[in-house]
Amino acid sequence: MGGSQSSRKISVDNENAIQVSQEALDRIQAQLNAKQAEQPQQPPSPQYNPPPFYESQKRQQENAAEEVYWARRIENLKRAHEKINAGMLIEYQKTLKEANELFEMAQKDKIASKLPPCQAEKAKVLECYSTNPDKSLVCSVLVNEFNDCVCKSRIAAVSASS
């Protein structure tokens, strides 16, 4: 149906066609060239072209205005960043100080916990024994105090670890 092409052909004979000789065409072309040569060339319609100095001055003013705008914007951004950096520096200093204080406290606790308990009582017992080498019963009261101190520190250590 629609898949095949039509095999019909149409031909049109133009009985009113005009044949122009080459000589006639050359004459018409020569006349057109002569008319164009006779007519003075008309300049294009006048348009206002501002002087180049005005254009460059206007462009310079626009550039100067943009420079001022961007310089102001950059300064505002610098100030904002300086404020942020100052705040961050203050917070950094506070945090550093707190961390150092905590570190020092932890160091003191480690030092205190590294020392054996009851050092004062131990020193008293040793002094008593050195001053009374032949009378050890004289130091019995100090030895009992040292023993009580050691027991208390053991109880404290056990209760702290559990």
Side-chain angles (χ1 to χ4, degrees), residues 8 14 31-33 38 47 63 67 69 79 85 96-97 101-102 118 122 140 153 162:
R8 295 184 191 167
N14 192 354
Q31 287 176 354
L32 285 174
N33 288 342
E38 287 175 8
Q47 294 179 350
N63 289 343
E67 286 290 327
Y69 167 76
R79 274 191 244 119
N85 286 341
L96 184 64
K97 183 179 177 183
E101 289 173 357
L102 289 173
C118 310
K122 178 181 174 183
S140 65
S153 65
S162 19

Side-chain angles (χ1 to χ4, degrees), residues 73-89:
R73 180 108 188 253
I74 289 171
E75 285 302 316
N76 288 341
L77 288 173
K78 282 182 182 177
R79 274 191 244 119
H81 285 288
E82 287 172 1
K83 286 180 184 177
I84 291 169
N85 286 341
M88 288 175 62
L89 183 63

Side-chain angles (χ1 to χ4, degrees), residues 12-136:
V12 177
D13 291 329
N14 192 354
E15 296 173 5
N16 298 329
I18 301 173
Q19 289 186 351
V20 180
S21 67
Q22 185 63 37
E23 188 179 293
L25 284 174
D26 291 339
R27 230 177 338 157
I28 293 171
Q29 187 65 38
Q31 287 176 354
L32 285 174
N33 288 342
K35 281 186 181 180
Q36 285 180 352
E38 287 175 8
Q39 292 179 348
Q41 292 288 335
Q42 292 182 344
S45 61
Q47 294 179 350
Y48 174 72
N49 290 329
F53 175 73
Y54 174 75
E55 283 292 321
S56 65
Q57 189 178 18
K58 185 178 178 184
R59 195 170 300 130
Q60 286 176 354
Q61 288 174 349
E62 290 173 355
N63 289 343
E66 284 187 32
E67 286 290 327
V68 169
Y69 167 76
W70 287 109
R72 195 176 310 130
R73 180 108 188 253
I74 289 171
E75 285 302 316
N76 288 341
L77 288 173
K78 282 182 182 177
R79 274 191 244 119
H81 285 288
E82 287 172 1
K83 286 180 184 177
I84 291 169
N85 286 341
M88 288 175 62
L89 183 63
I90 291 170
E91 288 299 317
Y92 174 77
Q93 294 294 339
K94 285 181 185 176
T95 305
L96 184 64
K97 183 179 177 183
E98 289 174 5
N100 285 336
E101 289 173 357
L102 289 173
F103 183 73
E104 288 173 7
M105 286 175 35
Q107 288 294 89
K108 288 177 184 176
D109 287 345
K110 283 183 181 179
I111 291 170
S113 65
K114 286 182 181 179
L115 292 176
C118 310
Q119 290 298 308
E121 288 82 1
K122 178 181 174 183
K124 289 178 185 175
V125 170
L126 291 175
E127 184 182 333
C128 182
Y129 280 140
S130 63
T131 56
N132 302 309
D134 296 331
K135 302 175 189 172
S136 60

